[in-house]
């Protein structure tokens, strides 16, 4: 692989695999509010927030770190009170008990309005208008990407505006490398170790989150319960360790623990699911750091590749994508090559395609554990040269075509599912 292409892939990974504090959807909303407040120049007296359906769905039921509270109002209030846009998706890292009390008062004073922008121009769309006591107003829009500011204005005067050149919810630069699974594999195997060892930071962050979930009761405590109570049922095994460590990180994150995780393609849960099954398996087999790095690169870049044609937000649960990446990484650690990785990807797509996304919330840990367990099973079959064939369902002989079958279902066929899920969630 040419150095120029290798450097472009590294740039892509570093852009898509980044730290995030709390769920990325409410974090992105808080980021937008923080920027609008900074542009206004003082704490607003009123905030109006308009969101696309997928943003609304993914931000309604998740814990906000350090607050003990769920949902958008506290994220919006804290974005205005203590948020710093320079922190990116860690915008609320300065939260304190005092600021939470201020945020509650801000909410109780009915200073926040949240609405669904039905005609949203993008699946990922956030529009924030802040009003000041003196009659000032600021407006900020994030679109297509959780940190992609496309409009900033003060009192109707435009400060920054990007031309809308994208027709989908993708914002990848034209210079991004064109990926396929073979290229993903070749990069992960051939890149100099010193150029890819940065991916070990995903292990550090996501394992730290897992340890919080394994020692505290967050969310539904799936990881904690499996670790403490699951031995008679699940035994002390590689599978148990994968399930408990992966779900525990999600428990902590969705339950509102004040921890950063390494995200993938704008999702912390996807970052957890692409990381922890690989890390847990590597630790159980005592793999060295270079092998773990290559496995993690393979997992994360496979997930990025699939998300490129799926889109950042969809009706398809992101753990389907991320656990497919994890299965690839596990195959590599088992000693498999490209043929076995292709088989594992097909096995994954044959199994868990169709899992719906009904928002970010504590029960995401259940879905993530399903994906992580399937990743190990698919890898095991692949290492026995067992692969779902093109005669079965949506699987094609070509693995990249199979991936695009998956993403077409998630991007196009499940649109009606997405609308119905949102309707159910907002009418309860």
């Amino acid at each position: 692989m040419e150095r120029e292409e290798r450097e472009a892939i590294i740039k892509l990974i570093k852009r898509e695999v980044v730290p995030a504090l709390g769920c990325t959807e409410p974090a992105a909303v808080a980021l937008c509010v923080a920027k609008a407040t900074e542009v206004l120049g003082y704490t607003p007296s009123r905030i109006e927030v308009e969101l696309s359906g997928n943003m609304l769905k993914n931000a309604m039921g998740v814990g906000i770190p350090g607050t003990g509270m769920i949902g958008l109002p506290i994220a919006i209030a804290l974005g205005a009170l203590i948020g710093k846009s320079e922190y990116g998706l860690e915008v609320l890292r300065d939260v304190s008990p005092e600021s939470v009390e201020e945020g509650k008062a801000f909410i109780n004073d009915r200073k926040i309005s949240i609405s669904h922008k039905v005609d949203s121009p993008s699946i990922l769309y956030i529009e924030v208008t802040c009003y000041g006591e003196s009659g000032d107003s600021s407006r900020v829009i994030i679109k297509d990407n959780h940190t992609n500011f496309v409009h900033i204005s003060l009192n109707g005067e435009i400060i920054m505006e990007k031309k809308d050149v994208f027709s989908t919810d993708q914002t990848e630069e034209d210079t991004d490398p064109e990926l396929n699974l073979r290229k993903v594999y070749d990069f992960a195997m051939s890149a100099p170790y010193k150029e890819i060892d940065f991916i070990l930071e995903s292990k550090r962050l996501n394992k730290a989150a897992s340890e919080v979930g394994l020692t505290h009761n967050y969310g539904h405590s799936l990881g904690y319960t499996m670790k403490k109570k699951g031995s008679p049922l699940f035994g002390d095994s590689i599978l148990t360790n994968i399930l408990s460590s992966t779900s525990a990180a999600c428990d902590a994150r969705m339950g509102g623990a004040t921890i950063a995780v390494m995200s993938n393609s704008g999702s912390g849960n996807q970052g957890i699911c692409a990381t922890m099954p690989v890390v847990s398996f590597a630790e159980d087999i005592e793999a060295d750091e270079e092998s773990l790095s290559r496995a993690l690169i393979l997992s994360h870049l496979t997930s990025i590749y699939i998300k490129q044609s799926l889109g950042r937000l969809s009706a398809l649960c992101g753990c389907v994508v991320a656990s497919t990446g994890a299965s690839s990484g596990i195959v590599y650690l088992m000693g498999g090559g490209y043929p076995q990785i292709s088989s594992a990807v097909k096995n994954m797509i044959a199994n868990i395609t169709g899992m719906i996304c009904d928002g970010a919330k504590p029960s995401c840990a259940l879905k993530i554990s399903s994906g992580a367990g399937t990743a190990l099973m698919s890898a095991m079959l692949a290492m026995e040269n067992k692969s779902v064939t093109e005669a079965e369902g949506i699987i094609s002989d070509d693995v990249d075509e199979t991936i695009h079958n998956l993403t077409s279902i998630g991007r196009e066929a499940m649109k009606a599912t997405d609308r119905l899920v949102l309707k159910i969630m907002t009418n309860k």
Side-chain angles (χ1 to χ4, degrees):
M1 183 175 290
E2 296 293 330
R3 182 178 183 84
E4 184 177 344
E5 185 174 31
R6 197 170 72 239
E7 289 176 348
I9 292 174
I10 290 170
K11 181 181 177 182
L12 172 64
I13 296 170
K14 287 184 174 180
R15 192 183 74 220
E16 297 292 356
V17 181
V18 296
L21 180 64
C23 179
T24 45
E25 277 69 54
V29 174
L31 174 63
C32 199
V33 172
K35 174 64 80 172
T37 301
E38 291 164 2
V39 171
L40 187 66
Y42 54 92
T43 302
S45 58
R46 184 164 57 91
I47 304 172
E48 292 180 356
V49 178
E50 293 183 274
L51 302 172
S52 58
N54 283 77
M55 284 299 301
L56 193 60
K57 178 183 73 174
N58 279 292
M60 288 173 60
V62 66
I64 307 303
T67 68
M69 299 175 68
I70 287 174
L72 281 167
I74 190 63
I76 292 168
L78 290 174
L81 294 169
I82 55 95
K84 291 183 174 64
S85 64
E86 65 194 74
Y87 292 167
L89 292 178
E90 294 182 89
V91 59
L92 300 182
R93 72 164 70 155
D94 293 336
V95 66
S96 66
E98 294 75 22
S99 62
V100 171
E101 292 306 310
E102 287 183 62
K104 290 177 181 178
F106 198 93
I107 295 167
N108 291 336
D109 289 342
R110 299 182 182 278
K111 294 180 177 181
I112 298 170
S113 69
I114 304 167
S115 60
H116 176 202
K117 192 172 182 67
V118 179
D119 59 347
S120 168
S122 172
I123 288 175
L124 197 164
Y125 184 87
I126 308 163
E127 182 175 337
V128 172
T129 305
C130 288
Y131 297 93
E133 294 287 0
S134 60
D136 296 321
S137 67
S138 61
R139 182 167 171 257
V140 174
I141 297 173
I142 285 177
K143 180 174 174 285
D144 301 324
N145 182 307
H146 292 79
T147 59
N148 182 43
F149 294 99
V150 298
H151 175 94
I152 301 173
S153 61
L154 177 63
N155 296 325
E157 189 171 320
I158 294 174
I159 297 171
M160 184 278 285
E161 190 159 46
K162 290 183 181 179
K163 291 183 179 179
D164 186 11
V165 296
F166 296 98
S167 59
T168 71
D169 61 327
Q170 301 273 325
T171 59
E172 283 75 14
E173 300 293 336
D174 292 338
T175 56
D176 276 354
E178 185 175 336
L179 298 175
N180 55 47
L181 191 64
R182 180 79 217 196
K183 188 175 291 186
V184 167
Y185 174 78
D186 288 345
F187 172 81
M189 298 302 102
S190 65
Y193 175 49
K194 288 185 178 179
E195 293 184 10
I196 61 171
D197 63 354
F198 67 87
I199 202 67
L200 291 173
E201 182 68 2
S202 68
K203 171 191 172 180
R204 186 187 71 81
L205 284 180
N206 293 344
K207 186 176 179 182
S210 176
E211 288 170 351
V212 170
L214 288 171
T215 53
H216 296 79
N217 283 298
Y218 280 104
H220 296 296
S221 302
L222 176 60
Y224 177 89
T225 302
M226 287 193 67
K227 195 71 174 177
K228 301 296 181 183
K229 308 286 185 181
S231 292
L233 296 172
F234 293 93
D236 183 13
S237 67
I238 288 176
L239 175 61
T240 303
N241 292 337
I242 286 175
L243 297 181
S244 60
S245 63
T246 305
S247 58
C250 183
D251 287 328
R253 179 173 178 264
M254 294 287 95
T258 310
I259 49 167
V261 301
M262 193 66 83
S263 65
N264 182 297
S265 303
S267 167
N269 281 349
Q270 285 170 199
I272 289 168
C273 198
T275 303
M276 287 311 300
V278 178
V279 169
S280 179
F281 185 83
E283 290 180 341
D284 275 341
I285 66 169
E286 299 182 348
D288 59 63
E289 285 201 337
E290 180 172 347
S291 296
L292 174 58
S293 294
R294 295 193 186 281
L296 287 172
I297 286 287
L298 185 57
S299 177
H300 279 283
L301 190 56
T302 297
S303 301
I304 292 167
Y305 163 46
I306 298 173
K307 288 292 286 186
Q308 283 183 328
S309 57
L310 177 64
R312 290 189 176 272
L313 299 175
S314 74
L316 184 71
C317 178
C319 83
V320 174
V321 174
S323 57
T324 299
S327 191
S328 300
I330 291 171
V331 168
Y332 165 71
L333 291 171
M334 287 178 168
Y338 181 72
Q340 289 76 31
I341 287 168
S342 296
S343 293
V345 169
K346 291 179 184 180
N347 294 341
M348 291 294 295
I349 292 172
N351 192 337
I352 58 176
T353 294
M355 185 184 293
I356 65 166
C357 171
D358 53 346
K361 58 209 176 302
S363 61
C364 286
L366 293 163
K367 295 186 179 186
I368 281 180
S369 66
S370 295
T374 303
L376 183 62
M377 180 173 65
S378 296
M380 177 189 69
L381 283 175
M383 290 302 294
E384 294 296 317
N385 295 314
K386 303 291 185 182
S387 175
V388 178
T389 69
E390 63 178 331
E392 303 171 73
I394 63 169
I395 304 306
S396 299
D397 184 55
D398 181 81
V399 68
D400 294 294
E401 187 176 330
T402 300
I403 287 169
H404 290 123
N405 293 342
L406 163 73
T407 59
S408 294
I409 289 170
R411 188 182 64 252
E412 300 297 333
M414 294 180 74
K415 283 183 177 179
T417 301
D418 217 15
R419 290 192 293 270
L420 181 56
V421 166
L422 182 62
K423 181 180 178 182
I424 291 170
M425 290 176 65
T426 55
N427 284 282
K428 288 192 290 185

